[in-house]
Amino acid sequence: MKVKLLTIVMAVGFALSLNAQNKMSLNADQGQYQISKHIYGHFSEHLGRCIYEGYWVGEDSPIPNTRGIRNDVVKALRDIKIPNLRWPGGCFADEYHWMDGIGPRDQRKKMVNTHWGGVVEDNSFGTHEFLDLCEQLGTEPYICGNVGSGTVQEMAQWIEYITFDGESPMANLRRANGREEPWKVTFWGVGNENWGCGGNMTAEFYADQYQQFATYCRNFSGNRLYRIAGGANSFDYNWTEVLMQKAANRMQGLSLHYYTRPALSEAQGGSRAATVFDEADYYGVIRNAYRMDELLTRHSTIMDRYDPDKRIGLVVDEWGTWYSVEPGTNPGFLYQQNSLRDAIVAGISLNTFNKHCDRVSMAQIAQTINVLQSVILTDKEKMLLTPTYWVFHMMQVHQDATMLPIQVISNKIQLPPQLVQTTAGRGQGGQQAAREIDAISVSASRDQSGKVHVTLVNCDLNNAQTVDCDLGSFMAKKVTGKILTSAKIQDHNTFDNPNTVNVKDFSDAKISGSKLTIQLPSKSIVQLELTL
Ligand code: AHR
């Protein structure tokens, strides 16, 4: 009887937040850590239509391109100042043999992409094309080498091929393939998901493998590698512990992968679709997105014990939402639409990385184009920018700015009963999950010109949220803003209607003395700029 009554009360009250004012204090004089621009990085794999069709259309394509790479995509990514690009995988990385992707394109070997749809990979996009793409984007390459099915020699030679400027077999081969000057490549991954698709290794075995491979990842010709060890699957804290214990001395970064998936299975009445979902599904995803904070806190705590000076960066090189593929598309291509819900997830995740920037040195959303939580979708010559793209557009102001600590007392959103009664869902830690979440997520930074930028996300589907912010000693005179929202949380951009979810000017933030008051509409992301 008691249980029944509780369920009724919860059903009536679910997803309601007590709409008191949210409180926030900005500590503009306490900035200590820089938000590395590399937190705003991207990941692009040989998977589905990400590389082929997404970037690469070939030199003979009617789609405007520069040496085979789409011009519209390059422009869109330059506009969000993409700071780095991880390639060639993902799971594909541990099956990729780089020598198959160099030399005359018509003579390159073909292979089967066994992980992703079993399609033929003709290797027409290889090392030279990727590094040309990075130069066109003005971004830093992050290459992930093959540990699972590759050799130490193969990885060592790849680095020599790319970065050595002297006389050597690999440098000469590069020259024979048309590139005289070496490239600079800083970020180097030593395998991917080696607990799974990268070889199904134990943490202990991989740590030993890492030491061996990393020994031969040399710094040639003034190029200094930032070597990133393959890290944990989400909540696997033992992996981080073992890697730090056995291999910390030879790494500059340690990776972590976490995907935000729906909490409710179809059997529990949930939808795993990207644009067809109800309130319970929405809050299940948002609750799982908030768990990034717990993950970063706990993995960082382990790293702190071995590396109190925070020399080693935590590299979240795969994050984003993962739903069912769009109906009628190849299940191995992981093509999903992107709604305002994904923009909210992106806002929460990037706010969380900003707040943990003392340890998080890089992050890469999975994946840039046509795969999982993309910022760009393409259909032949057409291209659209997703709601997630607009979050990256607004939040680029935090790149290399000083993170400002901000205390937030947020209203709480009570979650729907079916969520409270379930665990967090597959891949989400499997624990009994939280009953309530914060209505607002916030981060702030000060850029080199002294401007303060604040990103606020209102996760509440049904209520506007008022935020009272104490600016302390920061005597801002002017506030301007941008907002991303839409009529429905399921709204998304299509090739016929590419601007349904788009950024608009925002004027509901007012300064009075040292107080800033903000009216956040429901389901919105707001970017503010405060100037003296
Ligand atoms: O991003 C898709 C896949 O997810 C990657 O290839 C793999 O690393 C992860 O499991």
Side-chain angles (χ1 to χ4, degrees), residues 25-35 351 354-355 357 398 401-408 442-447 450-454 471 474 530:
S25 320
L26 179 78
N27 304 293
D29 51 352
Q30 286 176 25
Q32 201 183 343
Y33 299 104
Q34 194 183 46
I35 298 171
N351 275 343
N354 284 351
K355 282 186 277 184
C357 68
H398 295 298
T402 304
M403 190 268 284
L404 299 178
I406 191 156
Q407 273 84 45
V408 181
V442 189
S443 73
S445 68
R446 189 184 49 242
D447 71 13
K451 285 179 192 150
V452 167
H453 294 106
V454 186
L471 296 174
F474 185 69
L530 301 167

PDB file of all heavy atoms in Angstrom, residues 25-35 351 354-355 357 398 401-408 442-447 450-454 471 474 530:
ATOM      1  N   SER A  25      27.656  31.292  -7.490  1.00  0.00           N
ATOM      2  CA  SER A  25      28.666  32.322  -7.212  1.00  0.00           C
ATOM      3  C   SER A  25      29.835  32.105  -8.146  1.00  0.00           C
ATOM      4  O   SER A  25      30.397  31.001  -8.209  1.00  0.00           O
ATOM      5  CB  SER A  25      29.235  32.245  -5.805  1.00  0.00           C
ATOM      6  OG  SER A  25      28.248  31.959  -4.903  1.00  0.00           O
ATOM      7  N   LEU A  26      30.185  33.170  -8.827  1.00  0.00           N
ATOM      8  CA  LEU A  26      31.305  33.108  -9.764  1.00  0.00           C
ATOM      9  C   LEU A  26      32.546  33.623  -9.045  1.00  0.00           C
ATOM     10  O   LEU A  26      32.510  34.700  -8.444  1.00  0.00           O
ATOM     11  CB  LEU A  26      30.990  34.009 -10.960  1.00  0.00           C
ATOM     12  CG  LEU A  26      32.057  34.080 -12.035  1.00  0.00           C
ATOM     13  CD1 LEU A  26      32.003  32.841 -12.901  1.00  0.00           C
ATOM     14  CD2 LEU A  26      31.851  35.316 -12.899  1.00  0.00           C
ATOM     15  N   ASN A  27      33.622  32.845  -9.094  1.00  0.00           N
ATOM     16  CA  ASN A  27      34.856  33.270  -8.423  1.00  0.00           C
ATOM     17  C   ASN A  27      35.860  33.721  -9.475  1.00  0.00           C
ATOM     18  O   ASN A  27      36.799  32.993  -9.817  1.00  0.00           O
ATOM     19  CB  ASN A  27      35.410  32.114  -7.590  1.00  0.00           C
ATOM     20  CG  ASN A  27      34.372  31.628  -6.607  1.00  0.00           C
ATOM     21  OD1 ASN A  27      34.011  32.342  -5.675  1.00  0.00           O
ATOM     22  ND2 ASN A  27      33.847  30.442  -6.833  1.00  0.00           N
ATOM     23  N   ALA A  28      35.636  34.926  -9.963  1.00  0.00           N
ATOM     24  CA  ALA A  28      36.423  35.395 -11.112  1.00  0.00           C
ATOM     25  C   ALA A  28      37.883  35.608 -10.767  1.00  0.00           C
ATOM     26  O   ALA A  28      38.732  35.661 -11.652  1.00  0.00           O
ATOM     27  CB  ALA A  28      35.814  36.675 -11.662  1.00  0.00           C
ATOM     28  N   ASP A  29      38.198  35.746  -9.470  1.00  0.00           N
ATOM     29  CA  ASP A  29      39.593  35.981  -9.082  1.00  0.00           C
ATOM     30  C   ASP A  29      40.307  34.683  -8.697  1.00  0.00           C
ATOM     31  O   ASP A  29      41.443  34.711  -8.242  1.00  0.00           O
ATOM     32  CB  ASP A  29      39.644  36.976  -7.918  1.00  0.00           C
ATOM     33  CG  ASP A  29      38.705  36.569  -6.788  1.00  0.00           C
ATOM     34  OD1 ASP A  29      37.914  35.609  -7.002  1.00  0.00           O
ATOM     35  OD2 ASP A  29      38.759  37.184  -5.719  1.00  0.00           O
ATOM     36  N   GLN A  30      39.642  33.549  -8.861  1.00  0.00           N
ATOM     37  CA  GLN A  30      40.260  32.295  -8.382  1.00  0.00           C
ATOM     38  C   GLN A  30      40.664  31.328  -9.483  1.00  0.00           C
ATOM     39  O   GLN A  30      40.873  30.146  -9.236  1.00  0.00           O
ATOM     40  CB  GLN A  30      39.306  31.586  -7.425  1.00  0.00           C
ATOM     41  CG  GLN A  30      39.241  32.265  -6.080  1.00  0.00           C
ATOM     42  CD  GLN A  30      38.226  31.607  -5.173  1.00  0.00           C
ATOM     43  OE1 GLN A  30      37.906  30.439  -5.317  1.00  0.00           O
ATOM     44  NE2 GLN A  30      37.701  32.387  -4.246  1.00  0.00           N
ATOM     45  N   GLY A  31      40.741  31.823 -10.709  1.00  0.00           N
ATOM     46  CA  GLY A  31      41.116  30.929 -11.810  1.00  0.00           C
ATOM     47  C   GLY A  31      42.524  30.393 -11.628  1.00  0.00           C
ATOM     48  O   GLY A  31      43.452  31.157 -11.377  1.00  0.00           O
ATOM     49  N   GLN A  32      42.696  29.077 -11.769  1.00  0.00           N
ATOM     50  CA  GLN A  32      43.996  28.462 -11.532  1.00  0.00           C
ATOM     51  C   GLN A  32      44.431  27.595 -12.706  1.00  0.00           C
ATOM     52  O   GLN A  32      45.605  27.522 -13.027  1.00  0.00           O
ATOM     53  CB  GLN A  32      43.870  27.600 -10.268  1.00  0.00           C
ATOM     54  CG  GLN A  32      45.161  27.304  -9.591  1.00  0.00           C
ATOM     55  CD  GLN A  32      44.940  26.376  -8.388  1.00  0.00           C
ATOM     56  OE1 GLN A  32      43.811  26.231  -7.897  1.00  0.00           O
ATOM     57  NE2 GLN A  32      46.001  25.752  -7.940  1.00  0.00           N
ATOM     58  N   TYR A  33      43.464  26.956 -13.348  1.00  0.00           N
ATOM     59  CA  TYR A  33      43.806  25.989 -14.393  1.00  0.00           C
ATOM     60  C   TYR A  33      43.302  26.451 -15.751  1.00  0.00           C
ATOM     61  O   TYR A  33      42.245  27.057 -15.862  1.00  0.00           O
ATOM     62  CB  TYR A  33      43.190  24.624 -14.089  1.00  0.00           C
ATOM     63  CG  TYR A  33      43.675  24.040 -12.785  1.00  0.00           C
ATOM     64  CD1 TYR A  33      42.861  24.063 -11.660  1.00  0.00           C
ATOM     65  CD2 TYR A  33      44.944  23.483 -12.692  1.00  0.00           C
ATOM     66  CE1 TYR A  33      43.302  23.529 -10.461  1.00  0.00           C
ATOM     67  CE2 TYR A  33      45.400  22.957 -11.490  1.00  0.00           C
ATOM     68  CZ  TYR A  33      44.579  22.987 -10.379  1.00  0.00           C
ATOM     69  OH  TYR A  33      45.012  22.470  -9.198  1.00  0.00           O
ATOM     70  N   GLN A  34      44.068  26.053 -16.778  1.00  0.00           N
ATOM     71  CA  GLN A  34      43.649  26.385 -18.143  1.00  0.00           C
ATOM     72  C   GLN A  34      42.760  25.265 -18.700  1.00  0.00           C
ATOM     73  O   GLN A  34      43.047  24.081 -18.494  1.00  0.00           O
ATOM     74  CB  GLN A  34      44.887  26.538 -19.017  1.00  0.00           C
ATOM     75  CG  GLN A  34      44.575  27.197 -20.339  1.00  0.00           C
ATOM     76  CD  GLN A  34      45.791  27.292 -21.245  1.00  0.00           C
ATOM     77  OE1 GLN A  34      46.531  26.346 -21.399  1.00  0.00           O
ATOM     78  NE2 GLN A  34      45.972  28.455 -21.848  1.00  0.00           N
ATOM     79  N   ILE A  35      41.702  25.663 -19.388  1.00  0.00           N
ATOM     80  CA  ILE A  35      40.882  24.685 -20.114  1.00  0.00           C
ATOM     81  C   ILE A  35      41.590  24.457 -21.443  1.00  0.00           C
ATOM     82  O   ILE A  35      41.560  25.319 -22.323  1.00  0.00           O
ATOM     83  CB  ILE A  35      39.457  25.234 -20.374  1.00  0.00           C
ATOM     84  CG1 ILE A  35      38.731  25.512 -19.051  1.00  0.00           C
ATOM     85  CG2 ILE A  35      38.670  24.286 -21.261  1.00  0.00           C
ATOM     86  CD1 ILE A  35      37.405  26.243 -19.204  1.00  0.00           C
ATOM     87  N   ASN A 351      30.748  21.076 -20.149  1.00  0.00           N
ATOM     88  CA  ASN A 351      30.847  21.757 -18.842  1.00  0.00           C
ATOM     89  C   ASN A 351      31.642  20.897 -17.857  1.00  0.00           C
ATOM     90  O   ASN A 351      32.456  21.400 -17.076  1.00  0.00           O
ATOM     91  CB  ASN A 351      29.448  21.995 -18.248  1.00  0.00           C
ATOM     92  CG  ASN A 351      28.804  23.272 -18.767  1.00  0.00           C
ATOM     93  OD1 ASN A 351      29.481  24.143 -19.317  1.00  0.00           O
ATOM     94  ND2 ASN A 351      27.501  23.394 -18.587  1.00  0.00           N
ATOM     95  N   ASN A 354      35.320  20.967 -18.689  1.00  0.00           N
ATOM     96  CA  ASN A 354      35.879  22.265 -18.278  1.00  0.00           C
ATOM     97  C   ASN A 354      36.198  22.249 -16.782  1.00  0.00           C
ATOM     98  O   ASN A 354      37.267  22.668 -16.352  1.00  0.00           O
ATOM     99  CB  ASN A 354      34.878  23.393 -18.542  1.00  0.00           C
ATOM    100  CG  ASN A 354      34.798  23.765 -20.021  1.00  0.00           C
ATOM    101  OD1 ASN A 354      35.594  23.309 -20.828  1.00  0.00           O
ATOM    102  ND2 ASN A 354      33.827  24.602 -20.371  1.00  0.00           N
ATOM    103  N   LYS A 355      35.242  21.748 -15.999  1.00  0.00           N
ATOM    104  CA  LYS A 355      35.415  21.780 -14.534  1.00  0.00           C
ATOM    105  C   LYS A 355      36.557  20.867 -14.087  1.00  0.00           C
ATOM    106  O   LYS A 355      37.179  21.097 -13.069  1.00  0.00           O
ATOM    107  CB  LYS A 355      34.106  21.362 -13.848  1.00  0.00           C
ATOM    108  CG  LYS A 355      33.094  22.502 -13.850  1.00  0.00           C
ATOM    109  CD  LYS A 355      31.861  22.149 -13.050  1.00  0.00           C
ATOM    110  CE  LYS A 355      30.897  21.336 -13.861  1.00  0.00           C
ATOM    111  NZ  LYS A 355      29.643  21.018 -13.203  1.00  0.00           N
ATOM    112  N   CYS A 357      39.359  20.384 -15.738  1.00  0.00           N
ATOM    113  CA  CYS A 357      40.475  20.642 -16.662  1.00  0.00           C
ATOM    114  C   CYS A 357      41.839  20.550 -15.987  1.00  0.00           C
ATOM    115  O   CYS A 357      42.862  20.580 -16.660  1.00  0.00           O
ATOM    116  CB  CYS A 357      40.308  21.987 -17.357  1.00  0.00           C
ATOM    117  SG  CYS A 357      40.490  23.373 -16.234  1.00  0.00           S
ATOM    118  N   HIS A 398      35.684  28.858 -24.655  1.00  0.00           N
ATOM    119  CA  HIS A 398      36.415  28.332 -23.486  1.00  0.00           C
ATOM    120  C   HIS A 398      37.800  27.788 -23.854  1.00  0.00           C
ATOM    121  O   HIS A 398      38.603  27.498 -22.971  1.00  0.00           O
ATOM    122  CB  HIS A 398      35.624  27.203 -22.818  1.00  0.00           C
ATOM    123  CG  HIS A 398      34.317  27.641 -22.216  1.00  0.00           C
ATOM    124  ND1 HIS A 398      34.236  28.557 -21.193  1.00  0.00           N
ATOM    125  CD2 HIS A 398      33.039  27.279 -22.488  1.00  0.00           C
ATOM    126  CE1 HIS A 398      32.964  28.728 -20.851  1.00  0.00           C
ATOM    127  NE2 HIS A 398      32.224  27.968 -21.623  1.00  0.00           N
ATOM    128  N   ALA A 401      41.094  29.080 -22.296  1.00  0.00           N
ATOM    129  CA  ALA A 401      40.772  30.122 -21.299  1.00  0.00           C
ATOM    130  C   ALA A 401      41.036  29.572 -19.890  1.00  0.00           C
ATOM    131  O   ALA A 401      41.251  28.378 -19.709  1.00  0.00           O
ATOM    132  CB  ALA A 401      39.311  30.529 -21.440  1.00  0.00           C
ATOM    133  N   THR A 402      41.013  30.461 -18.911  1.00  0.00           N
ATOM    134  CA  THR A 402      41.231  30.028 -17.524  1.00  0.00           C
ATOM    135  C   THR A 402      39.896  29.634 -16.906  1.00  0.00           C
ATOM    136  O   THR A 402      38.948  30.427 -16.906  1.00  0.00           O
ATOM    137  CB  THR A 402      41.838  31.191 -16.703  1.00  0.00           C
ATOM    138  OG1 THR A 402      43.035  31.597 -17.362  1.00  0.00           O
ATOM    139  CG2 THR A 402      42.139  30.776 -15.279  1.00  0.00           C
ATOM    140  N   MET A 403      39.834  28.431 -16.405  1.00  0.00           N
ATOM    141  CA  MET A 403      38.589  27.958 -15.805  1.00  0.00           C
ATOM    142  C   MET A 403      38.313  28.735 -14.515  1.00  0.00           C
ATOM    143  O   MET A 403      39.213  28.914 -13.687  1.00  0.00           O
ATOM    144  CB  MET A 403      38.711  26.463 -15.503  1.00  0.00           C
ATOM    145  CG  MET A 403      37.419  25.794 -15.102  1.00  0.00           C
ATOM    146  SD  MET A 403      37.177  25.795 -13.320  1.00  0.00           S
ATOM    147  CE  MET A 403      38.297  24.522 -12.809  1.00  0.00           C
ATOM    148  N   LEU A 404      37.101  29.218 -14.367  1.00  0.00           N
ATOM    149  CA  LEU A 404      36.722  29.929 -13.147  1.00  0.00           C
ATOM    150  C   LEU A 404      35.836  29.018 -12.305  1.00  0.00           C
ATOM    151  O   LEU A 404      34.781  28.566 -12.771  1.00  0.00           O
ATOM    152  CB  LEU A 404      35.972  31.214 -13.488  1.00  0.00           C
ATOM    153  CG  LEU A 404      36.771  32.229 -14.313  1.00  0.00           C
ATOM    154  CD1 LEU A 404      35.912  33.449 -14.640  1.00  0.00           C
ATOM    155  CD2 LEU A 404      38.044  32.658 -13.587  1.00  0.00           C
ATOM    156  N   PRO A 405      36.261  28.750 -11.075  1.00  0.00           N
ATOM    157  CA  PRO A 405      35.421  27.899 -10.222  1.00  0.00           C
ATOM    158  C   PRO A 405      34.081  28.592  -9.969  1.00  0.00           C
ATOM    159  O   PRO A 405      34.022  29.815  -9.829  1.00  0.00           O
ATOM    160  CB  PRO A 405      36.218  27.782  -8.926  1.00  0.00           C
ATOM    161  CG  PRO A 405      37.517  28.447  -9.144  1.00  0.00           C
ATOM    162  CD  PRO A 405      37.469  29.230 -10.396  1.00  0.00           C
ATOM    163  N   ILE A 406      33.044  27.823  -9.952  1.00  0.00           N
ATOM    164  CA  ILE A 406      31.711  28.403  -9.805  1.00  0.00           C
ATOM    165  C   ILE A 406      30.901  27.478  -8.887  1.00  0.00           C
ATOM    166  O   ILE A 406      30.885  26.275  -9.086  1.00  0.00           O
ATOM    167  CB  ILE A 406      31.101  28.591 -11.212  1.00  0.00           C
ATOM    168  CG1 ILE A 406      29.856  29.408 -11.206  1.00  0.00           C
ATOM    169  CG2 ILE A 406      30.880  27.336 -11.970  1.00  0.00           C
ATOM    170  CD1 ILE A 406      29.611  30.059 -12.565  1.00  0.00           C
ATOM    171  N   GLN A 407      30.346  28.066  -7.810  1.00  0.00           N
ATOM    172  CA  GLN A 407      29.522  27.239  -6.911  1.00  0.00           C
ATOM    173  C   GLN A 407      28.069  27.334  -7.374  1.00  0.00           C
ATOM    174  O   GLN A 407      27.581  28.443  -7.616  1.00  0.00           O
ATOM    175  CB  GLN A 407      29.591  27.734  -5.466  1.00  0.00           C
ATOM    176  CG  GLN A 407      30.749  27.174  -4.665  1.00  0.00           C
ATOM    177  CD  GLN A 407      32.021  27.947  -4.893  1.00  0.00           C
ATOM    178  OE1 GLN A 407      31.999  29.169  -4.884  1.00  0.00           O
ATOM    179  NE2 GLN A 407      33.119  27.245  -5.136  1.00  0.00           N
ATOM    180  N   VAL A 408      27.427  26.197  -7.472  1.00  0.00           N
ATOM    181  CA  VAL A 408      26.050  26.190  -7.979  1.00  0.00           C
ATOM    182  C   VAL A 408      25.161  25.441  -6.991  1.00  0.00           C
ATOM    183  O   VAL A 408      25.494  24.330  -6.575  1.00  0.00           O
ATOM    184  CB  VAL A 408      25.980  25.477  -9.348  1.00  0.00           C
ATOM    185  CG1 VAL A 408      24.558  25.498  -9.897  1.00  0.00           C
ATOM    186  CG2 VAL A 408      26.938  26.104 -10.345  1.00  0.00           C
ATOM    187  N   VAL A 442      26.584  24.134 -15.242  1.00  0.00           N
ATOM    188  CA  VAL A 442      27.244  25.422 -15.540  1.00  0.00           C
ATOM    189  C   VAL A 442      28.761  25.248 -15.582  1.00  0.00           C
ATOM    190  O   VAL A 442      29.325  24.459 -14.828  1.00  0.00           O
ATOM    191  CB  VAL A 442      26.934  26.474 -14.434  1.00  0.00           C
ATOM    192  CG1 VAL A 442      27.416  27.864 -14.852  1.00  0.00           C
ATOM    193  CG2 VAL A 442      25.459  26.521 -14.099  1.00  0.00           C
ATOM    194  N   SER A 443      29.436  26.001 -16.449  1.00  0.00           N
ATOM    195  CA  SER A 443      30.894  26.180 -16.315  1.00  0.00           C
ATOM    196  C   SER A 443      31.231  27.596 -16.775  1.00  0.00           C
ATOM    197  O   SER A 443      30.456  28.233 -17.496  1.00  0.00           O
ATOM    198  CB  SER A 443      31.680  25.149 -17.119  1.00  0.00           C
ATOM    199  OG  SER A 443      31.611  25.416 -18.492  1.00  0.00           O
ATOM    200  N   ALA A 444      32.405  28.064 -16.338  1.00  0.00           N
ATOM    201  CA  ALA A 444      32.782  29.449 -16.649  1.00  0.00           C
ATOM    202  C   ALA A 444      34.285  29.544 -16.860  1.00  0.00           C
ATOM    203  O   ALA A 444      35.058  28.741 -16.324  1.00  0.00           O
ATOM    204  CB  ALA A 444      32.362  30.374 -15.500  1.00  0.00           C
ATOM    205  N   SER A 445      34.680  30.549 -17.649  1.00  0.00           N
ATOM    206  CA  SER A 445      36.114  30.771 -17.870  1.00  0.00           C
ATOM    207  C   SER A 445      36.364  32.240 -18.188  1.00  0.00           C
ATOM    208  O   SER A 445      35.431  32.985 -18.524  1.00  0.00           O
ATOM    209  CB  SER A 445      36.612  29.902 -19.030  1.00  0.00           C
ATOM    210  OG  SER A 445      36.062  30.344 -20.253  1.00  0.00           O
ATOM    211  N   ARG A 446      37.632  32.623 -18.067  1.00  0.00           N
ATOM    212  CA  ARG A 446      38.028  33.984 -18.458  1.00  0.00           C
ATOM    213  C   ARG A 446      39.055  33.875 -19.577  1.00  0.00           C
ATOM    214  O   ARG A 446      40.046  33.151 -19.458  1.00  0.00           O
ATOM    215  CB  ARG A 446      38.649  34.727 -17.261  1.00  0.00           C
ATOM    216  CG  ARG A 446      38.879  36.215 -17.558  1.00  0.00           C
ATOM    217  CD  ARG A 446      39.590  36.943 -16.424  1.00  0.00           C
ATOM    218  NE  ARG A 446      40.750  36.217 -15.999  1.00  0.00           N
ATOM    219  CZ  ARG A 446      40.927  35.720 -14.767  1.00  0.00           C
ATOM    220  NH1 ARG A 446      40.015  35.878 -13.832  1.00  0.00           N
ATOM    221  NH2 ARG A 446      42.024  35.050 -14.454  1.00  0.00           N
ATOM    222  N   ASP A 447      38.815  34.593 -20.682  1.00  0.00           N
ATOM    223  CA  ASP A 447      39.752  34.484 -21.804  1.00  0.00           C
ATOM    224  C   ASP A 447      40.883  35.499 -21.650  1.00  0.00           C
ATOM    225  O   ASP A 447      40.926  36.272 -20.680  1.00  0.00           O
ATOM    226  CB  ASP A 447      39.027  34.602 -23.156  1.00  0.00           C
ATOM    227  CG  ASP A 447      38.511  36.005 -23.447  1.00  0.00           C
ATOM    228  OD1 ASP A 447      38.907  36.968 -22.753  1.00  0.00           O
ATOM    229  OD2 ASP A 447      37.712  36.139 -24.383  1.00  0.00           O
ATOM    230  N   GLY A 450      40.229  39.121 -20.954  1.00  0.00           N
ATOM    231  CA  GLY A 450      39.566  39.469 -19.695  1.00  0.00           C
ATOM    232  C   GLY A 450      38.065  39.228 -19.714  1.00  0.00           C
ATOM    233  O   GLY A 450      37.401  39.396 -18.692  1.00  0.00           O
ATOM    234  N   LYS A 451      37.522  38.822 -20.858  1.00  0.00           N
ATOM    235  CA  LYS A 451      36.080  38.544 -20.911  1.00  0.00           C
ATOM    236  C   LYS A 451      35.777  37.242 -20.176  1.00  0.00           C
ATOM    237  O   LYS A 451      36.540  36.278 -20.268  1.00  0.00           O
ATOM    238  CB  LYS A 451      35.632  38.377 -22.363  1.00  0.00           C
ATOM    239  CG  LYS A 451      35.536  39.676 -23.125  1.00  0.00           C
ATOM    240  CD  LYS A 451      35.116  39.386 -24.548  1.00  0.00           C
ATOM    241  CE  LYS A 451      35.289  40.621 -25.392  1.00  0.00           C
ATOM    242  NZ  LYS A 451      35.591  40.315 -26.776  1.00  0.00           N
ATOM    243  N   VAL A 452      34.646  37.239 -19.486  1.00  0.00           N
ATOM    244  CA  VAL A 452      34.222  36.023 -18.787  1.00  0.00           C
ATOM    245  C   VAL A 452      33.089  35.375 -19.587  1.00  0.00           C
ATOM    246  O   VAL A 452      32.167  36.050 -20.044  1.00  0.00           O
ATOM    247  CB  VAL A 452      33.765  36.353 -17.349  1.00  0.00           C
ATOM    248  CG1 VAL A 452      33.035  35.181 -16.720  1.00  0.00           C
ATOM    249  CG2 VAL A 452      34.978  36.740 -16.499  1.00  0.00           C
ATOM    250  N   HIS A 453      33.201  34.061 -19.777  1.00  0.00           N
ATOM    251  CA  HIS A 453      32.170  33.315 -20.513  1.00  0.00           C
ATOM    252  C   HIS A 453      31.555  32.267 -19.598  1.00  0.00           C
ATOM    253  O   HIS A 453      32.270  31.552 -18.893  1.00  0.00           O
ATOM    254  CB  HIS A 453      32.774  32.636 -21.743  1.00  0.00           C
ATOM    255  CG  HIS A 453      33.263  33.623 -22.759  1.00  0.00           C
ATOM    256  ND1 HIS A 453      34.597  33.880 -22.966  1.00  0.00           N
ATOM    257  CD2 HIS A 453      32.586  34.437 -23.597  1.00  0.00           C
ATOM    258  CE1 HIS A 453      34.724  34.807 -23.897  1.00  0.00           C
ATOM    259  NE2 HIS A 453      33.519  35.164 -24.298  1.00  0.00           N
ATOM    260  N   VAL A 454      30.236  32.218 -19.613  1.00  0.00           N
ATOM    261  CA  VAL A 454      29.522  31.254 -18.770  1.00  0.00           C
ATOM    262  C   VAL A 454      28.591  30.437 -19.671  1.00  0.00           C
ATOM    263  O   VAL A 454      27.833  31.004 -20.463  1.00  0.00           O
ATOM    264  CB  VAL A 454      28.678  31.976 -17.687  1.00  0.00           C
ATOM    265  CG1 VAL A 454      28.065  30.957 -16.728  1.00  0.00           C
ATOM    266  CG2 VAL A 454      29.515  32.996 -16.923  1.00  0.00           C
ATOM    267  N   LEU A 471      28.356  37.868  -8.645  1.00  0.00           N
ATOM    268  CA  LEU A 471      29.577  38.048  -9.440  1.00  0.00           C
ATOM    269  C   LEU A 471      30.790  38.378  -8.585  1.00  0.00           C
ATOM    270  O   LEU A 471      31.899  38.530  -9.110  1.00  0.00           O
ATOM    271  CB  LEU A 471      29.367  39.156 -10.481  1.00  0.00           C
ATOM    272  CG  LEU A 471      28.307  38.865 -11.551  1.00  0.00           C
ATOM    273  CD1 LEU A 471      28.091  40.096 -12.430  1.00  0.00           C
ATOM    274  CD2 LEU A 471      28.733  37.690 -12.406  1.00  0.00           C
ATOM    275  N   PHE A 474      33.935  40.709  -9.539  1.00  0.00           N
ATOM    276  CA  PHE A 474      33.966  40.965 -10.988  1.00  0.00           C
ATOM    277  C   PHE A 474      32.851  41.951 -11.338  1.00  0.00           C
ATOM    278  O   PHE A 474      31.686  41.582 -11.433  1.00  0.00           O
ATOM    279  CB  PHE A 474      33.798  39.645 -11.754  1.00  0.00           C
ATOM    280  CG  PHE A 474      33.941  39.805 -13.247  1.00  0.00           C
ATOM    281  CD1 PHE A 474      35.171  40.115 -13.810  1.00  0.00           C
ATOM    282  CD2 PHE A 474      32.853  39.640 -14.091  1.00  0.00           C
ATOM    283  CE1 PHE A 474      35.318  40.262 -15.185  1.00  0.00           C
ATOM    284  CE2 PHE A 474      32.981  39.783 -15.463  1.00  0.00           C
ATOM    285  CZ  PHE A 474      34.218  40.094 -16.008  1.00  0.00           C
ATOM    286  N   LEU A 530      30.480  38.197 -20.401  1.00  0.00           N
ATOM    287  CA  LEU A 530      30.441  39.316 -19.455  1.00  0.00           C
ATOM    288  C   LEU A 530      31.686  40.163 -19.656  1.00  0.00           C
ATOM    289  O   LEU A 530      32.802  39.638 -19.664  1.00  0.00           O
ATOM    290  CB  LEU A 530      30.439  38.794 -18.015  1.00  0.00           C
ATOM    291  CG  LEU A 530      29.286  37.867 -17.637  1.00  0.00           C
ATOM    292  CD1 LEU A 530      29.554  37.183 -16.316  1.00  0.00           C
ATOM    293  CD2 LEU A 530      27.993  38.647 -17.547  1.00  0.00           C
TER     294      LEU A 530
END
